[in-house]
């Protein structure tokens, strides 16, 4: 396969995940919404990201924070109206920002009219739109880990759900379901969205034999192991549909299988996902060996398949990376240099540019049945409480140090994490080597990870010291520090050493 001479926009982009409930509140009800987001687009443009991915905004009973959809073509009143999506698209596009929505193909809400019909009787025409059986097998659901089957008293059968019982799985083996879900994609593509993040893309094809899976006995949940050939056929269908629209619309899939080899398959022969999330860094501790092995594996397996990698350290399902790194802001800042200089498309999760930690959630403030509230806390915009959330108390408590980490405070402080992210994003945007260049590992102390990025005459070296002590990193030639994660030495000549938990981008010394 040939590399396109002009790469598609998403290869050169940094994508910012908006968790709409917690981004910004436009109407003072304590829940973030689309008008709130539109009001903060200048902030995102100023940050320097290229595209936004919004977690679901569709009508939903909110059993799983919107991942349980009851109407795919309507905006939930909590978030606004359909016209707000149109306005968001126009306002974002006007600022050069693309917008991806979340597409949730594996399941709907149990209140979706399709399921209401399906469960109404065994001979309802939509019965076969979901997966009904007389006997359950041993499959396990995520979020709670119980059986993936729930007994329906009314129609005296079990239905399948890889997640909550309120999220019945669609039967993509039925062509009417395929057609209906294609219709959903068309609806949004025609409104002008630039692509989709596909929720659990690997789950849509099911084992037609419904065979017990021994891994479920050992406690595994299907959402982490389901991997069927039929999903690939379905993804090819989605890809053909999306490719039929102008403007390089993109599909980035959540393939929540912890195996790079398996994930690569979901790029197909360039005819399935444009990109798949790579989950290892979302679990990885602050450890040079873990990252080195993970990056080498991605380079080896995706490089060979000419599949474009993605990098992500935090999202709405995982603990924020600063919290995973023992609460260390120094480490989180060094990790930002790593995230934004690897080969591939980085995803920034809202609030990581502020160096936020997970909020402390108590049994009284807990909302999510899956215990994932910590990383979903509202963003602090202003120093003074309620930090720009004027009106009802926000739906979750603020993260720790909300005043000092607020956007307002960090805009005013030269060495803040926000200013670091802005500079990193600007440096990346200006450097072909960082956006598109080759990746080559350099010899270094085991606690230091170092690599070279090059494209044509543009060259950078990135080095990250994971250790709590300084390390030498001798380099031939004359190099200059373009940026240091701790703000120490920007623009200075590189002296051949890294401070504890420091990351640097180096460029050849000028003159
Ligand atoms: C993955 C989403 O990211 C998560 O938040 C959700 O609970 C499940 N898929 C089910 O849709
Ligand atoms: Ca609101």
């Amino acid at each position: 396969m040939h590399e396109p001479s002009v790469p598609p926009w998403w290869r050169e982009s940094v994508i910012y995940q908006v968790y709409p409930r917690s981004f910004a509140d436009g109407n003072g009800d304590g829940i973030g919404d689309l008008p709130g987001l539109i009001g903060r687009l200048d902030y995102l443009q100023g940050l320097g990201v290229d595209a936004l991915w919004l977690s679901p905004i569709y009508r939903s009973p909110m059993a799983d924070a919107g991942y349980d959809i009851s109407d795919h073509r309507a905006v939930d009143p909590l978030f606004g109206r359909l016209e707000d999506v149109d306005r968001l698209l126009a306002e974002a596009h006007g600022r050069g920002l693309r917008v991806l929505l979340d597409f949730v193909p594996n399941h709907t809400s149990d209140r979706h009219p399709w399921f209401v019909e399906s469960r109404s009787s065994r001979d309802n025409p939509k019965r076969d739109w979901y997966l009904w059986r007389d006997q359950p097998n041993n499959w396990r659901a995520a979020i709670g880990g119980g059986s993936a089957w729930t007994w329906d008293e009314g129609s005296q059968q079990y239905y399948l759900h890889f997640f909550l019982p309120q999220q019945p799985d669609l039967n993509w083996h039925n062509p009417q379901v395929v057609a209906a879900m294609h219709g959903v994609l068309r609806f949004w593509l025609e409104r002008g969205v630039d692509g989709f993040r596909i929720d659990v893309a690997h789950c849509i094809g099911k084992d037609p034999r419904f065979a017990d899976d021994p891994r479920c006995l050992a406690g595994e949940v299907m959402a982490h192991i389901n991997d069927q050939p039929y999903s690939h056929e379905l993804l090819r269908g989605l890809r053909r549909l999306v490719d039929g629209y102008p403007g390089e619309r993109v599909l980035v899939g959540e393939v929540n299988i912890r195996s790079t080899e398996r994930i690569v398959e979901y790029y197909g022969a360039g005819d399935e996902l444009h990109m798949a999330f790579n989950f290892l860094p979302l679990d990885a501790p602050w450890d040079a060996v873990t990252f080195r092995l993970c990056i080498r594996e991605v380079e080896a397996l995706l490089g060979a398949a000419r599949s474009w990698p993605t990098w992500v350290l935090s999202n709405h399902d995982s603990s924020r990376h600063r919290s995973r790194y023992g609460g260390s802001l120094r480490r989180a800042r060094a990790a930002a240099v790593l995230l934004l200089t690897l080969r591939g498309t980085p995803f920034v999760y809202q609030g990581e540019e502020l160096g936020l930690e997970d909020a402390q959630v108590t049994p009284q403030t807990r909302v999510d049945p899956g215990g994932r509230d910590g990383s979903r806390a509202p963003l602090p915009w202003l120093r003074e409480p309620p930090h720009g959330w004027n009106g009802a108390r926000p739906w979750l408590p603020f993260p720790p140090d909300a005043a000092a980490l607020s956007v307002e405070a960090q805009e005013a402080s030269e060495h803040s994490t926000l200013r670091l992210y802005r500079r990193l994003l600007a440096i990346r945007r200006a450097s072909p080597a960082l956006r598109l260049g080759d990746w080559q590992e350099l010899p270094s102390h085991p606690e230091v990870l170092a690599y070279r990025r090059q494209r044509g005459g543009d060259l950078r070296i990135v080095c990250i010291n994971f250790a709590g002590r300084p390390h030498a990193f001798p380099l031939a030639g004359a190099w200059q520090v373009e940026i240091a994660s701790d703000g120490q030495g920007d623009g200075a000549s590189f002296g051949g050493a890294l401070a504890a938990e420091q990351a640097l981008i180096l460029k050849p010394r000028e003159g």
Side-chain angles (χ1 to χ4, degrees), residues 24-33 78:
D25 184 9
N27 65 354
D29 68 351
I31 298 180
D33 47 44
L78 276 183

Side-chain angles (χ1 to χ4, degrees), residues 385-396:
H387 307 301
W389 290 70
N390 305 319
R393 184 201 291 260
W395 71 288
L396 279 178

Side-chain angles (χ1 to χ4, degrees), residues 272-287:
E272 296 184 32
L273 298 173
H274 295 92
M275 295 185 277
F277 281 122
N278 159 27
F279 276 93
L280 289 166
L282 270 169
D283 300 334
W286 179 245
D287 172 57

Side-chain angles (χ1 to χ4, degrees), residues 327-402:
S328 162
L329 185 56
R330 194 169 171 84
R331 292 177 179 177
R333 291 171 61 119
V337 173
L338 173 74
L339 173 73
L340 296 172
T341 59
L342 287 169
R343 196 180 67 86
T345 297
F347 286 73
V348 171
Y349 177 51
Q350 68 175 41
E352 74 171 71
E353 78 278 18
L354 303 176
L356 297 184
E357 285 182 85
D358 291 347
Q360 298 299 322
V361 176
T362 63
Q364 288 72 39
T365 55
R366 179 184 164 130
V367 176
D368 178 42
R372 298 164 294 183
D373 293 321
S375 63
R376 300 177 177 183
L379 292 196
W381 291 97
L382 301 178
R383 210 189 290 256
E384 281 301 309
H387 307 301
W389 290 70
N390 305 319
R393 184 201 291 260
W395 71 288
L396 279 178
F398 285 100
D401 298 328

Side-chain angles (χ1 to χ4, degrees), residues 196-329:
F196 301 93
R197 175 266 192 187
I198 307 185
D199 193 67
V200 290
H202 59 298
C203 288
I204 50 182
K206 302 289 191 310
D207 173 5
R209 297 165 304 138
F210 292 94
D212 280 341
D213 194 311
R215 292 168 294 183
C216 287
L217 271 186
E220 266 297 0
V221 301
M222 286 307 286
H224 291 170
I225 57 180
N226 193 78
D227 191 16
Q228 290 290 320
Y230 184 55
S231 297
H232 295 280
E233 190 176 325
L234 292 169
L235 289 174
R236 284 192 289 274
L238 299 183
R239 175 66 177 264
R240 276 194 298 275
L241 184 155
V242 165
D243 280 352
Y245 286 79
E248 299 177 329
R249 318 286 173 110
V250 67
L251 295 178
V252 47
E254 183 199 18
V255 181
N256 202 342
I257 302 176
R258 298 312 201 252
S259 153
T260 309
E261 260 165 10
R262 310 300 304 171
I263 291 173
V264 175
E265 308 257 304
Y266 286 81
Y267 289 81
D271 57 355
E272 296 184 32
L273 298 173
H274 295 92
M275 295 185 277
F277 281 122
N278 159 27
F279 276 93
L280 289 166
L282 270 169
D283 300 334
W286 179 245
D287 172 57
V289 174
T290 310
F291 272 99
R292 177 176 291 118
L293 294 179
C294 169
I295 297 163
R296 278 186 193 164
E297 185 173 271
V298 167
E299 280 295 327
L301 296 174
L302 276 73
R306 289 250 187 271
S307 304
W308 190 250
T310 62
W311 297 101
V312 54
L313 298 175
S314 292
N315 70 15
H316 65 293
D317 290 330
S318 316
S319 199
R320 286 187 175 277
H321 64 269
R322 176 172 171 192
S323 298
R324 281 187 286 113
Y325 304 158
S328 162
L329 185 56

Side-chain angles (χ1 to χ4, degrees), residues 17 19 53 55-56 64-68 102 104 106-107 142-143 162-164 167 197 199-200 223 254 256 279 315-317 368 372 376:
Q17 181 188 355
Y19 196 68
W53 144 39
S55 280
D64 185 17
Y67 283 94
D68 49 322
D102 216 307
V104 186
N106 179 65
H107 45 268
I143 317 181
F162 276 7
F163 293 90
L164 295 171
Q167 293 167 294
R197 175 266 192 187
D199 193 67
V200 290
E254 183 199 18
N256 202 342
F279 276 93
N315 70 15
H316 65 293
D317 290 330
D368 178 42
R372 298 164 294 183
R376 300 177 177 183

